Structure formats: C-alpha cells, structure tokens
Amino acid sequence: AGSLAVNKGEITFDGVSYAYDEENLVLQDFSLTIPAGKKVALVGPSGSGKTTLMNLTMRFFDPTKGRVLVDGQDISTKTIASVRVATALLTQDPILFDDTVRANIEYGMSDVTEEQLRDAAKAAAAHDFIEELPHGYDTNVGEAGSLLSGGQRQRVAIARALLKSAPVLLLDEPTSALDPSSEVKIQKALETLFVGRTVLMIAHRLTTVRDADLICVLDKGRLVESGTHDELIARDGLYAAFCESQFNEASATASDDETSGKASSTSEDQKEQVIS
C-alpha cells in the first residue's frame, strides 16, 4: 500500500455500508462528499452510525461495502500510518499519556522546536496554565492526564492537534463535559484549529450544529436529511423534531429551576441542551 497524499482534504463516502456482524448493519449505502475546508455536523439518535463514520475515516476499520476517499484516494489502499498522519481526532475524553505536558503535545512528531511547541500551546489557550505548573512543560500529567483538570486536558489535546497540523479534523463534541468557563476557552481554541481544515464532527448541541456549513441527519445507518440549520428547520423533518424536543426539554428544565428558586435559563442557554 502507498501513502495517502493530502493536498486539500476533501472527504467522500461512496456507497459505504458497514456491519459489525451479519445481524447488525450499522451503515447502509451512505454517500456524502465533504468539500475541503468545510465543517460538517453529524446529527442523529444513538446507534445511527455517527461514530462508525468517524472510525472509518481514521481507518480503525474498513467499509463492508463502498469506499472512503480523501482527495480522491481510496484510503483502504493506503497505509494506516499515512491516514492517521492526515487526521486529528478530538473526543470528549482526550487521550493523554503518563508523561510530561511537552511529550503529550509533541506525541508522534519529531524535530519540534520550542517556539513551535509554545505557539501551539498559546493558540490552544494552554500556555498560561502550563507555565504555572510545578515544572512547566516538563510537568508530568499523571496516568491518563489525571493531574490536570478536564479543561486543561482538552487544551493539551488541542495543542497537539494544532502542532500536528493535520488537514482533516474529527470531533466528538469535545466541550460537552466541561464547565462553562473552560468551554469558552476551548471554543476559542477550536476556532483557531478549524481554519483551513476539513472538519467532521458529531454534534449534540444546537450551538455547535448551527455553525456547521452542512448538517447531516442519520437514522438507522442512513443519511435521511442534509442541509443548513435553516433549511432543515423549514423542511420540518427529523432534524426539526430534534430541535423541538430539545427546546421543550430546556423549557421544562428552566421551569424546574424557577420553582426551586434558581435563576431561569435564557433562550441561549436552552440552545446548549442536548440535541441527540
């Protein structure tokens, strides 16, 4: 197998199906092209195939049928190492190793200068807290990053992705488990990371979805709707139903807060509720 050569970062799912076994078909004839540099949000109920699409893009496994192409190249014919170099993955629970902050940011890369390291950390809003650690960049983060807070772990992972400079970025709502102050910092860092990259993200919140160039709604392994937020609301289909149910849940939460003497949620807060 040759190496994947990525110039732009266009991703194409060409008639992709995937089954974990004969009884469980997770994706069925899924076709979608994500233009280079665009942000695409995947929305749908649990088990609809969102995570499977991410895994196929990373070549954690290959399609049962169909092809996944990056810049027109079938990634199943390319080395796994070259596919992983071209992609960066950010999840709700970032993977950190029992090593220094420096080693975690530089993971998988060689010949990183101090300036490059610090520039990536600054862009990820991580430099300031790293400098306050007992040994700065040479502080050990503990097993699975246990000596850092959730927001700090996430910013180290974003710094790693920035330094890696992969053209394809995969996200599974990396801010969903964070407190509001950490989330604001992470969102700003992500905006820096998005520039010039093709982004495929699993979205649970309306605020995340609304910013996407394209929203793809999955149900039972099939692509059932796609469009912008406004287009899909106007279509009054599955996506609109998601938004309505989420808004109703948020309204109920706000009412509960009021009756217990807490401040009520604003409409913007309501938009932060889970969409799937």
Side-chain angles (χ1 to χ4, degrees), residues 16-224:
V16 169
S17 295
Y18 185 78
Y20 289 102
D21 55 58
E22 291 182 4
E23 303 295 319
N24 296 295
L25 191 61
V26 185
L27 285 172
Q28 301 182 58
D29 197 27
F30 183 93
S31 291
L32 173 70
T33 293
I34 303 170
K38 297 296 184 182
K39 280 192 295 183
V40 173
L42 301 175
V43 174
S46 179
S48 59
K50 305 185 297 292
T51 301
T52 301
L53 284 173
M54 292 283 201
N55 289 336
L56 290 169
T57 307
M58 290 285 290
R59 269 207 82 191
F60 289 138
F61 37 75
D62 292 325
T64 309
K65 178 185 172 188
R67 302 179 300 163
V68 180
L69 310 171
V70 174
D71 285 347
Q73 303 158 84
D74 183 347
I75 64 171
S76 70
T77 68
K78 304 301 177 184
T79 62
I80 290 175
S82 67
V83 173
R84 304 277 166 81
V85 165
T87 52
L89 175 66
L90 286 174
T91 65
Q92 296 172 32
D93 190 17
I95 298 170
L96 296 189
F97 307 97
D98 189 1
D99 206 331
T100 63
V101 173
R102 178 187 305 276
N104 272 282
I105 295 175
E106 294 179 350
Y107 179 75
M109 289 161 276
S110 58
D111 303 322
V112 176
T113 67
E114 191 69 19
E115 184 179 16
Q116 289 171 329
L117 176 77
R118 290 171 182 266
D119 283 348
K122 287 173 184 175
H127 176 74
D128 290 347
F129 89 74
I130 294 170
E131 289 282 81
E132 292 173 359
L133 294 172
H135 303 289
Y137 283 85
D138 296 311
T139 303
N140 195 291
V141 302
E143 187 175 352
S146 58
L147 300 181
L148 302 179
S149 70
Q152 289 172 337
R153 287 196 297 271
Q154 201 60 269
R155 280 178 274 168
V156 168
I158 291 172
R160 179 198 295 159
L162 281 161
L163 191 60
K164 186 179 182 183
S165 197
V168 175
L169 182 62
L170 307 175
L171 285 88
D172 186 355
E173 199 72 271
T175 66
S176 63
L178 302 178
D179 62 84
S181 62
S182 294
E183 183 173 6
V184 170
K185 293 173 183 174
I186 299 296
Q187 288 290 6
K188 288 181 179 178
L190 286 174
E191 286 171 15
T192 303
L193 184 58
F194 287 162
V195 176
R197 291 178 171 84
T198 306
V199 181
L200 181 63
M201 54 187 174
I202 296 175
H204 304 277
R205 299 181 179 197
L206 256 182
T207 45
T208 306
V209 177
R210 290 177 75 112
D211 288 339
D213 297 304
L214 180 70
I215 300 163
C216 296
V217 184
L218 281 75
D219 190 30
K220 297 176 183 175
R222 294 184 182 277
L223 178 62
V224 293

